[in-house]
Amino acid sequence: MSFPSRLDHLVYAVPDLATGAADFVERTGVAPAPGGVHPVGSANALVALTVNGERAPHYLEIVGPDPHREGSGPVPVFGLAHLERPHLATFAVRVEDGLATAVERVRRVGHDPGDVEPWSRTTPDGTVLRWLLAKREPDAYPAPVPFLIDWGRTPQPGLGDLPALELLGLRAEHPDPDSLSPALTALGVDLELGAGPEPLLETRLRGPKGEFVLR
């Protein structure tokens, strides 16, 4: 099992962040670091993903509704509004020629990744991190076609002071994998993609408790 060379991070969506993080610790032996909150009403916790034991620009984001958000309405990102159980929802990739150029390139092959928008996260110490995303909510999750990210001057979290797991691979399945190939090729994403009855995204990781799979 391999993983895309341009992988930025994996998104593991959970209905409840505290419960999801606790279950993750029980399963892996690694406690994710609190990441912060997003203005859209989500919050996250982070784990760096090493490659061959070395730090790399990859990480795992555990994301769920912010329990302290204003109001209690649904959170409109990563399928959290209707999520009933944790799953590996999607992933982000970096692009080399700018988000706007990549968006236009992939739209020409029939896939709309969404407009380029500014995003931010307020960390537990009050620091506001800012970056750009091209992200469109798909019709359903898991989403084997990634969204796009540009960190700009913000340090990539995977290279920071985070607890870590070893990244062993990422693969996907889809009922019609050929329909996704043009978008993945336009994005330069070398994802292991096969046929399956339902969309599936699966990563293999290794931690203190051995190898395990998230899907």
Side-chain angles (χ1 to χ4, degrees), residues 198-214:
E198 301 288 343
L200 170 74
L201 196 59
E202 176 183 279
T203 185
R204 184 171 295 275
L205 305 171
R206 184 171 61 234
K209 293 189 174 183
E211 293 188 13
F212 65 98
V213 169
L214 286 183

Side-chain angles (χ1 to χ4, degrees), residues 11 78-79 87-92 111 135-147 170-174 180 184 191 193 198-202:
V11 178
F78 300 123
H87 69 169
L88 191 62
T90 187
F91 64 106
H111 176 75
K135 180 187 176 300
R136 177 183 62 85
E137 281 293 297
D139 295 333
Y141 284 101
V145 177
F147 63 100
L170 178 69
R171 61 179 292 272
E173 293 181 0
H174 191 269
L180 307 184
L184 293 173
L191 176 67
L193 176 64
E198 301 288 343
L200 170 74
L201 196 59
E202 176 183 279

